[in-house]
Amino acid sequence: MSTSRLVSQFGRAVRRQRELSQLSQRQLAELAGVSQASVARIERGDRAPSVLVLERLLAAMDVQLTVAVEPLDAHLDA
C-alpha cells in the first residue's frame, strides 16, 4: 500500500502534537471519540483521516488545523 506524502505528514503532526500534549494514543482516542487503533493507523500513515476526524483529534489537544498551499515542486528544494 502506497502512502501519500500528505497522509504521512498528517500522521507525523498528530503524533508530534500528542507527544507534546503528553497523551497516550488511548487517551487521545477517548478525548476525540475514536478508537485507539484508528489513532495508531493515522500516526503510522496507514490511514488517511477524514477532515472531521483530524479536526476532532487536534481539538482534543487544543490545537487547530491550518492549511497552506505551495508550488508542487517546493518539497524538492529542501
Side-chain angles (χ1 to χ4, degrees), residues 5 9 67-77:
R5 188 170 63 97
Q9 287 177 330
V67 178
V69 294
E70 60 185 34
L72 188 57
D73 64 350
H75 69 280
L76 299 175
D77 294 337

Side-chain angles (χ1 to χ4, degrees), residues 18 23-40 56-57 60:
R18 179 180 59 78
L23 294 170
S24 68
Q25 287 181 345
R26 183 171 303 285
Q27 290 169 319
L28 176 57
E30 289 175 6
L31 290 169
V34 300
S35 70
Q36 182 273 328
S38 290
V39 173
R56 287 169 48 191
L57 289 169

Side-chain angles (χ1 to χ4, degrees), residues 39-60:
V39 173
R41 285 191 298 269
I42 290 166
E43 287 186 358
R44 283 194 311 266
D46 292 343
R47 176 176 173 224
S50 69
V51 173
L52 177 60
V53 167
L54 187 58
E55 287 180 325
R56 287 169 48 191
L57 289 169
L58 296 175

Side-chain angles (χ1 to χ4, degrees), residues 1 3 8 10 14 21 24 35 39 44 55 60 65 72:
M1 174 181 177
T3 301
S8 295
F10 282 147
V14 169
S21 298
S24 68
S35 70
V39 173
R44 283 194 311 266
E55 287 180 325
L65 176 66
L72 188 57

